[in-house]
Amino acid sequence: MLRRPGMPYKLIIFDFDGTLADTFPWFTGVLNDVAVRYRFRRVEADEVERLRGLSARQLLVHLGIPAWKLPFIARHMRRLATDDGEPAPIFPGSEAMLRDLREAGLVLAIVSSNTERNIRRALGPETAGLFSHYACGAGLFGKAGKFRQIARRAGVEHRHCLCIGDEIRDFEAASDAGMAFGAVTWGFTSRPALQSLDPTFLFAGIDEIAARRFVDAGLPDRPEGTGHRTTPRPRMVKQTSPEADR
């Protein structure tokens, strides 16, 4: 059990791409050029929705990307994002939501595969200043260690931490770190795929990420449709080939 009834959260750790920033259109727009450069399978427009149901590991298998290429591809993608003229667009309502959490006394952090420079540029100085901790440049499967690092920096026990993200790998990392997970349905991974994980929270809109819900976490009220449960059960997703079935 990650937390007991009546035990509030103190630290909220956000993912950036697909959670706070609408970067999925940019990602799909550059992916096939990157595929040509690094010689992996291109993605056709009619398969994008099906691929949104896959985990990162399943997607790598589908695209034919070996593990040794990942650091080179990740570095190239970060450089593309940095060189792009416009910062990533932030989802409407994100600024007000973050301010609400901060004013309620919650500590905010960002753990992302993106760079801190890109994230701060997209958020702007005022919103970026709401976050007390940044751990950026995480490897594709390196977020669990970053989550632990942030919790140590903040001086918060893992059972008081909630990670919020849009991908199956975010859920896996939170589970590995012994932290609860809130899934957002507007990012890279499809809602059915996220719902199948049985996350602690399933958010259908930015306005559902409310400070009161986290401060009063574990109390017996359950607003309709929130996807909140009292005792999250960490587990890893069984990885299978997508051909057998983001």
Side-chain angles (χ1 to χ4, degrees):
M1 180 185 297
L2 302 184
R3 59 185 170 83
R4 298 190 299 272
M7 180 177 294
Y9 296 110
K10 298 178 181 179
L11 172 63
I12 311 296
I13 305 175
F14 283 90
D15 170 52
F16 179 72
D17 293 286
T19 301
L20 295 175
D22 187 10
T23 52
F24 187 68
W26 175 86
F27 175 79
T28 56
V30 303
L31 183 60
N32 282 338
D33 287 340
V34 178
V36 171
R37 182 185 182 97
Y38 289 96
R39 299 182 182 179
F40 59 85
R41 178 178 173 177
R42 291 169 54 88
V43 174
E44 302 303 326
D46 61 359
E47 64 178 333
V48 170
E49 194 57 34
R50 183 175 71 85
L51 296 183
R52 290 184 65 234
L54 303 184
S55 70
R57 289 183 177 86
Q58 290 173 324
L59 185 59
L60 293 177
V61 171
H62 178 78
L63 297 178
I65 301 177
W68 67 267
K69 283 188 179 182
L70 284 179
F72 302 99
I73 295 172
R75 190 180 307 120
H76 181 69
M77 295 287 279
R78 292 188 194 109
R79 186 167 60 248
L80 288 177
T82 301
D83 293 342
D84 197 357
E86 294 296 324
I90 302 302
F91 286 109
S94 295
E95 293 91 342
M97 175 269 294
L98 294 169
R99 198 175 305 111
D100 173 57
L101 299 181
R102 184 61 182 270
E103 288 174 354
L106 292 161
V107 179
L108 304 184
I110 286 184
V111 170
S112 175
S113 299
N114 210 326
T115 67
E116 184 171 342
R117 176 187 173 188
N118 288 341
I119 292 170
R120 286 184 176 276
R121 184 167 70 115
L123 292 175
E126 184 175 344
T127 304
L130 296 173
F131 292 91
S132 301
H133 305 281
Y134 288 79
C136 302
L140 191 62
F141 302 111
K143 282 191 170 184
K146 298 283 190 182
F147 289 160
R148 296 186 189 100
Q149 180 188 77
I150 288 289
R152 283 195 300 270
R153 273 196 229 161
V156 176
E157 295 181 31
H158 293 191
R159 57 184 175 169
H160 291 296
C161 300
L162 174 67
C163 305
I164 297 180
D166 68 310
E167 295 186 60
I168 293 172
R169 68 186 177 105
D170 296 328
F171 166 82
E172 293 175 337
S175 296
D176 188 36
M179 299 176 182
F181 181 68
V184 306
T185 59
W186 52 81
F188 283 50
T189 304
S190 67
R191 180 183 179 119
L194 292 168
Q195 198 159 18
S196 71
L197 304 175
D198 193 20
T200 313
F201 296 92
L202 185 68
F203 301 113
I206 295 277
D207 60 322
E208 292 186 8
I209 305 177
R212 180 186 175 279
R213 180 171 301 165
F214 304 145
V215 173
D216 295 342
L219 296 181
D221 61 331
R222 178 171 175 167
E224 192 66 28
T226 62
H228 169 268
R229 58 184 171 81
T230 302
T231 55
R233 298 179 298 276
R235 58 187 175 82
M236 299 297 287
V237 177
K238 181 179 179 181
Q239 301 300 332
T240 59
S241 167
E243 302 303 331
D245 329 78
R246 230 187 102 289

